[in-house]
Amino acid sequence: MAVLAYSLGKREINQHFTIKNAKLISLAAVLLLLMFHAASRYYEGGDSCEWLLSRGRYLGEDVWQPYGCMMHKYKSIEAKTCLSEKRVAFVGDSRIRQLFYSFIKIINPERKEEGNKHEDISFEDKSYSIKDFLWYPEANNSMKERLISWTHVTRCSRPRSCHGNLVTWWLPIWSIKLHGGSNEALQQYKVNLTAIVGQLEKVAEHGEVYWVLQDPVNEEVLSENRKMITNQQLELYNEAAVDVLNSSKRNGRSRVRLVAASRQAALETIIKSDDGLHLPESTRSVGAMILMNSVCNKILRPIDGSCCQTLRAPNLLQKLSALFFLGSAVVFVVFHILGNNRHRRHVPPDVESLEEKKPATAAVPPGPKAPFQALCRMGVIMGYFYLCDRADVFMKEQKFYTHSTFFIPLIYIFVLGVFYSDNSKEAKLLNREQTDEWKGWMQLVILIYHISGASAFIPVYMHVRVLVAAYLFQTGYGHFSFFWLKGDFGLYRVCQVLFRLNFLVLVLCVVMDRPYQFYYFVPLVTFWFVVIYTTMAIWPQILQKTANSSGVWHFGVLAKLLGLLIFICFFAFSQGIFERVFSVWPISKLFELNGSIHEWWFRWKLDRFAVIHGMVFAFIYLVLQKRQVLSEGKGEALFSAKISNFLLFLSVVSFITYSIWASSCKTKTECNEMHPYISVILAFILIRNIPGYARSIYSSFFAWFGKISLELFICQYHIWLAADTKGILVLIPGNPSLNILVSTFIFVCVAHEISLITNDLAQVVIPKDSMALLKRLGAMGTLSLVILLVSRAGQPTPGA
């Protein structure tokens, strides 16, 4: 009964929740979310600077998350670059002095808190302008005179440079302390602040002025001479400052920016204060980093600092791509009106093997409307990509790793994977359903790894490195098997594989203005496909049917594999030659990232043996299979009982040993050096395939994701993660769990649709006729060269 209920439950779900319905729901969700965010920005304001300065929350201890945007953690060299021509002044009492020191420590981490408590302090470096702390505990005439002097002195001699200033104020503590928290003192504070606010606005005309709201105190541990400083008093003074500054607004906005976020951070940490008044250093660092982001993000434009950044104007290629998709949509509409509807979607083949189920009837060739319909759909999807990660429409937040954010979702997906288990159509080792399942669960683990920021935890990082190596192992296994069994080295086959691997990435390179190497996995598998093809295609072409006639040919294959191994080792130990080879234009355009091929070198070297590992395994397996050494019947163990048990025991021990080693690694560098030489991929294959019952079942849930694993890996960069993978896309603010569910649902639907679009266009772009294919390749080569030249000419000059 339980099995029957289980089967009926799955059938009921699959009947009503189809992928077509899911895509319609996701489209409606995107439209509703666009309207929600547009209305929210219209009525509540969409200035990410205001979000940064006004509110946020702690993700974990000492990790501050501004509302709706990402805060970059500035390093010394970045801070010096940003502030090199700025003069900075912090004006106020002892608490603003601490903020000043925290700010200075971003510039110079070695700087110590020294100097007399109630005096001005100056920080100066020969290469950089002056940073001052000015002791003004009260808003009075002396302060007003200082402001007037700043507004009348010669250009660039006040606390500003030719590029602007940074003046930060913080005042009420001493007014409360000296006057016992009296109401008269509060009224006088309002009068004095009103008297200087005009001068503050004038200073702000030439730079940036920030008024920091008072942080709370821990009243229980305040000393006796500070007992009059209460949170109620501080709140009254904050309200007074807000009222006065808001009353000075011109055109609906004051030039003096209010900083309330540091106060919100202090509300959660003031209990850690030693004296109840001065904040812990970690909280002061949050306030300093908020100010640094507000000042420097618009200058340095860090990828993971979306707060206070203005939008970049689309470049020429982005504008042309928009026109191209728009033109395709117009042509599609014209064909639709004319009634040209002949189109049949083909079954998408697997990228690794390009095998597909043959339809019962001959497939109708796609009509002229089909490619334009596909391009129209692709244009809509690319519009969503652009809105998510290049336009200022949706919000972004930074990642923060905890064990629960990684392992709890992991448990959920594996429960679902077990729930959706079915019988395999065949029981061969690494059969089609099983390899799809393998790719599927690995991709889901990698997605969770990326969105949870789990790379910060070295044991998880190392295990995920094995998953990436396993993908490359499958590349070697799948392509070697195809060439060995079918011997199809034709141009059509090569172009089909290259198109399916690269279509989405090449479109994203143009639409999202990213280099090809940014999507590192695609260059990696493309490179290795070319290497495998070259290895198998060069003379002598040795196939299974050739080797069957004479066992000597097996040694020929081994010689080829040995030659490939020598080639890999030569490049691995010759970094200089490697860099010279891949730095030649136009090859360098494929492998450079930020003007360097270091990233390509790192990725290539890290998993350099994974592909040949897969090729060797495929060769040995196919030879053993041909000689009927293996038992691959349903329910049969792969080997005899003794051998099977021994290999299973060895595989389990290998897994445990690897996990212990990965957990003992101290640094990623240390682990990465050993990673190419340590592999548990074979151990997994044996555990998964030796028992007959294990080969006879598979998870249809994981296999479904495995069929679109490439699209999932690429799409996550911009419509699930954000800021080019540095952060997380926020479609639903204020509810992280719901946001992840909704963004994941849309992301998966988009990835599936792109896989279908790629298949549709492959039928048109890659014709089977050799002459037509050569003409297409010539046209695409010319177009690629033009794009390379345009992108090269359009690159900004240094310092622009």
Side-chain angles (χ1 to χ4, degrees), residues 80 83-85 107-108 111 122-131:
K80 288 178 179 179
L83 302 173
S84 61
E85 297 181 342
I107 305 170
N108 181 8
R111 174 76 178 196
S122 182
F123 170 79
E124 187 172 2
D125 187 283
K126 293 180 181 178
S127 304
Y128 303 97
S129 57
I130 300 172
K131 319 293 186 272

Side-chain angles (χ1 to χ4, degrees), residues 504-776:
L504 174 58
V505 163
L506 293 177
V507 173
L508 288 176
C509 287
V510 176
V511 173
M512 306 304 289
D513 190 25
R514 290 281 81 197
Y516 180 63
Q517 182 58 36
F518 175 72
Y519 308 94
Y520 75 90
F521 186 73
V522 170
L524 205 56
V525 293
T526 300
F527 170 83
W528 284 116
F529 168 72
V530 173
V531 169
I532 297 167
Y533 175 83
T534 304
T535 302
M536 299 296 290
I538 58 174
W539 184 89
Q541 290 183 2
I542 306 172
L543 311 178
Q544 187 184 62
K545 59 184 179 181
T546 308
N548 289 340
S549 62
S550 174
V552 177
W553 288 111
H554 290 122
F555 292 101
V557 176
L558 292 175
K560 283 190 172 187
L561 293 174
L562 179 61
L564 177 57
L565 180 63
I566 293 171
F567 164 82
I568 293 170
C569 292
F570 173 75
F571 272 109
F573 295 104
S574 307
Q575 184 176 356
I577 297 175
F578 184 95
E579 290 179 349
R580 282 195 293 272
V581 169
F582 290 101
S583 295
V584 177
W585 195 89
I587 296 175
S588 60
K589 296 298 294 183
L590 298 176
F591 300 104
E592 282 185 351
L593 187 64
N594 300 323
S596 169
I597 66 163
H598 175 75
E599 180 71 12
W600 167 239
W601 162 254
F602 169 75
R603 297 291 183 184
W604 180 89
K605 187 180 179 183
L606 197 58
D607 295 307
R608 59 188 180 271
F609 298 124
V611 170
I612 194 171
H613 185 192
M615 295 174 70
V616 171
F617 177 83
F619 174 67
I620 294 172
Y621 163 64
L622 292 171
V623 170
L624 292 177
Q625 184 188 57
K626 188 66 178 178
R627 296 180 181 275
Q628 299 182 347
V629 174
L630 306 175
S631 301
E632 295 185 298
K634 284 205 172 187
E636 294 180 353
L638 208 57
F639 304 100
S640 64
K642 288 184 178 180
I643 296 176
S644 295
N645 291 335
F646 173 74
L647 290 176
L648 283 173
F649 173 77
L650 198 62
S651 299
V652 171
V653 170
S654 299
F655 259 114
I656 296 172
T657 304
Y658 179 84
S659 295
I660 294 172
W661 170 78
S663 301
S664 65
C665 276
K666 295 179 180 178
T667 65
K668 288 183 180 179
T669 303
E670 174 190 325
C671 292
N672 288 338
E673 285 298 319
M674 293 298 298
H675 170 72
Y677 306 102
I678 302 174
S679 176
V680 291
I681 297 172
L682 182 58
F684 167 78
I685 293 173
L686 293 176
I687 292 172
R688 182 68 180 82
N689 287 274
I690 286 178
Y693 62 85
R695 291 198 317 278
S696 301
I697 60 171
Y698 77 106
S699 170
S700 57
F701 176 79
F702 291 141
W704 188 89
F705 285 99
K707 288 181 173 65
I708 58 170
S709 59
L710 184 68
E711 288 78 13
L712 288 171
F713 191 89
I714 300 166
C715 290
Q716 66 169 320
Y717 279 68
H718 301 295
I719 62 169
W720 200 51
L721 305 175
D724 293 345
T725 75
K726 302 295 183 181
I728 298 171
L729 179 67
V730 178
L731 299 178
I732 301 178
N735 194 326
S737 298
L738 182 60
N739 175 68
I740 288 295
L741 289 174
V742 173
S743 65
T744 301
F745 177 71
I746 296 171
F747 155 61
V748 171
C749 289
V750 168
H752 188 274
E753 183 64 17
I754 289 176
S755 72
L756 297 179
I757 292 171
T758 303
N759 176 66
D760 288 346
L761 290 177
Q763 309 302 322
V764 178
V765 176
I766 313 296
K768 292 186 177 181
D769 180 70
S770 298
M771 288 303 298
L773 180 55
L774 287 172
K775 291 178 182 178
R776 296 273 175 89

Side-chain angles (χ1 to χ4, degrees), residues 377-393:
R377 302 198 319 266
M378 193 69 179
V380 172
I381 291 172
M382 287 300 105
Y384 179 63
F385 271 76
Y386 192 90
L387 290 175
C388 286
D389 211 18
R390 289 296 179 269
D392 191 18
V393 176

Side-chain angles (χ1 to χ4, degrees), residues 218-292:
N218 187 356
E219 298 176 14
E220 296 179 0
V221 297
L222 287 173
S223 60
E224 287 300 323
N225 63 339
R226 291 172 176 168
K227 286 294 185 182
M228 72 291 295
I229 305 172
T230 64
N231 287 317
Q232 184 179 4
Q233 282 285 322
L234 292 174
E235 191 61 34
L236 291 173
Y237 275 79
N238 281 336
E239 290 174 2
V242 172
D243 290 342
V244 171
L245 292 172
N246 284 339
S247 66
S248 67
K249 288 183 178 179
R250 297 179 183 179
N251 299 322
R253 182 172 182 175
S254 173
R255 288 194 178 95
V256 180
R257 290 181 174 270
L258 284 168
V259 182
S262 56
R263 177 179 178 276
Q264 192 173 357
L267 285 169
E268 299 186 36
T269 60
I270 190 61
I271 57 173
K272 300 178 183 178
S273 171
D274 294 331
D275 60 4
L277 179 67
H278 298 101
L279 296 172
E281 184 175 356
S282 60
T283 311
R284 302 197 309 266
S285 297
V286 168
M289 201 60 73
I290 288 172
L291 289 173
M292 191 68 75

